[in-house]
Amino acid sequence: MKILLATLSSLMLLLTPSLGCAGGHEGKPPSFETLDTNGDGMISKDEAKGKLADHFDKLDKDGDGYLKPEDMPKPPKMEMEMDY
C-alpha cells in the first residue's frame, strides 16, 4: 500500500508541471474538465497530452482506454511548517 501511495504521489509530482503548461494556473494543474476536451466525462488517449499521455496506461485503472476522475491521482497534501 505504501508503494502504491508513493507511486501515485510521484506520478502527481511528475504530471503537475507538465499539466500546468496545458492551461492550468501557475503551479496548479488544469482541472479534469479542462483536459476532457470533448466533455464526455472521460479523458481518452487522444485528449491526453505530455506526461499525462506518457503515464496514461498506468493511470487507466480498469484498462478501458479512458481516464475518469477516480483514475486521476490526488495531489499530495502539503504540510505547512510553522516556526513560532
Side-chain angles (χ1 to χ4, degrees):
M1 185 62 166
K2 288 181 181 181
I3 293 173
L4 177 62
L5 183 59
T7 301
L8 289 176
S9 294
S10 297
L11 277 174
M12 190 52 164
L13 291 173
L14 284 172
L15 293 173
T16 299
S18 174
L19 295 177
C21 295
H25 300 287
E26 285 185 33
K28 184 177 179 185
S31 68
F32 187 89
E33 292 76 20
T34 300
L35 296 170
D36 177 20
T37 58
N38 66 1
D40 65 355
M42 300 179 284
I43 300 171
S44 67
K45 283 190 175 186
D46 290 336
E47 292 171 301
K49 305 291 182 222
K51 292 198 186 271
L52 181 61
D54 295 343
H55 296 284
F56 190 94
D57 292 329
K58 288 181 185 178
L59 294 170
D60 182 16
K61 295 175 185 149
D62 62 6
D64 66 352
Y66 296 94
L67 298 179
K68 293 165 281 309
E70 60 268 16
D71 292 328
M72 303 300 283
K74 304 291 183 243
K77 291 184 179 180
M78 303 299 285
E79 292 186 29
M80 294 178 50
E81 289 186 30
M82 303 295 266
D83 292 328
Y84 292 101

